[in-house]
Amino acid sequence: MSFSAKSGAWLSSRVPRFWWWRPWQQLSCAAAGPAWSYFGGSRPRAILDMSYSRHFLDFQGSSIPSSMKKLVVTKLSQNFREAVTLQQDSPVPLPGDGDLLVRNRFVGINASDINYSAGRYDPSVKPPFDIGFEGVGDVVALGLSASASYTVGQAVAYVKAGSFAEYTVVPAKQAIPLPSVKPEFLTLMLSGATAYISLKELGNLSEGKKVLVTAAAGGTGQFAVQLAKAAKCHVIGTCSSDEKGGFLKSIGCDCTINYKTENVESVLRKEYPEGVDVVYESVGGKMFDLALDSLATKGCLIIIGFIAGYQNPTGLQPIKAELLPAKLLKKSASIRGFFLNHYLSEYKVALKDLLKMYERGDLVCEVDFGDMSPEGKFIGLESVFRAVDYMYMGKNIGKIVVELPHSVNSKL
């Protein structure tokens, strides 16, 4: 028996088993009328209340197990392999009244995953705790209140700790409905939104401005380049290979600088003697110093991260901080930090615009599945460790995504 939007299943509050029924059936009671009249007067959505069951059904009609794989931080460390353990038999979580149970199909890798495993965001949190920031998948079960907006089988994306798991409970209010399950949508959730909101709120972009994007071919850099070009700016991107430089050219970057083969400082001084107006900076350390020195009068440097230091015990790389006040004063320049959590009021509008741009074909959402990595494509939670290593080797072009395959083992 398959589960679809035209049929529902719910559990008796007294008997711990499924009660299957059809919308055209009537309840055995004194009052006449269709069955759904007892649930608010409208045809019911696909609902599963799993409060009394350890096994339940997904929308494809396969058995969802009572246990699953997930990654858990068991030791605080910036070394992801030391900090994180793959658990093979964790209980599949049960959604509450306002929740969705999402079967993850794709999960995103972020530079800050190792900040999270090191406990840098909330020192009060102690291991063990779940990890992974974002996922895309299918709703396989949901609570009664959540069914007002979602149905079983619907594609959704979300940003919530605990995505490195086969199943994740997501509050319906935090989920983003999608037309289909595609990894490209995942690139927008954190990486795209960070670029969109930071440049809009802090960048003050306008036609003709010169924008420098560091790590431009990475997960968020690719969007900073394209959004700055959409604002009719002149865009310069730093990268670590000619292949990445070619990708940047393909998405509109006006000037690329391979910092492995070129002197970034010399190129910027020669090509842009008056400096750049905006810097989208995510590297830190020496690159931060170079970017700061490249600012034009009244220029602005936006810090969205400093990946060069994340693997250090302090999470930082040294910068020439003693000269910072004088450099800013001399140019009437500014440095602004950006942390997405502080701009959540702008998030839904940003994501809506990004999705529209992608669907119109105005935005490239480059996904890197690790096909060119030594051990091949990132498939399964086991490969998250390799994916994190791959990022810190600087190999990726675009957003690193891990696919979580799902096989239908049994039909009911």
Side-chain angles (χ1 to χ4, degrees), residues 55-69 92 103 166-167 404-412:
H55 289 76
F56 45 96
L57 301 177
D58 73 9
F59 73 98
Q60 291 183 335
S62 64
S63 175
I64 297 178
S66 58
S67 63
M68 66 175 186
K69 295 179 182 179
V92 173
R103 186 188 69 205
E166 292 178 320
Y167 297 89
L404 303 186
H406 174 72
S407 61
V408 178
N409 296 318
S410 62
K411 290 290 184 180
L412 302 182

Side-chain angles (χ1 to χ4, degrees), residues 34 83 139 187 191 193 224 249 253 266 271 273 293 336 351 374-375:
V139 175
T187 69
S191 300
K249 288 288 187 180
C253 195
S266 298
E271 301 295 332
D293 290 341
R336 300 291 302 272
L351 206 58
E375 297 178 49

Side-chain angles (χ1 to χ4, degrees), residues 72-85 385:
V72 177
V73 176
T74 53
K75 171 187 175 182
L76 294 181
S77 174
Q78 72 279 2
N79 184 319
F80 193 83
R81 289 182 177 273
E82 290 183 0
V84 179
T85 300
F385 299 94

Side-chain angles (χ1 to χ4, degrees), residues 103-181:
R103 186 188 69 205
N104 293 314
R105 297 275 297 281
F106 301 101
V107 294
I109 303 297
N110 293 278
S112 49
D113 287 331
I114 70 172
N115 287 331
Y116 199 74
S117 70
R120 289 170 180 156
Y121 290 135
D122 186 355
S124 67
V125 177
K126 304 301 180 185
F129 54 85
D130 297 342
I131 191 169
F133 292 130
E134 56 188 340
V136 167
D138 311 296
V139 175
V140 295
L142 69 169
L144 181 62
S145 294
S147 71
S149 302
Y150 292 91
T151 61
V152 167
Q154 189 164 354
V156 295
Y158 64 91
V159 174
K160 178 183 179 290
S163 69
F164 291 164
E166 292 178 320
Y167 297 89
T168 302
V169 168
V170 179
K173 293 181 179 179
Q174 295 180 20
I176 304 294
L178 298 174
S180 61
V181 175

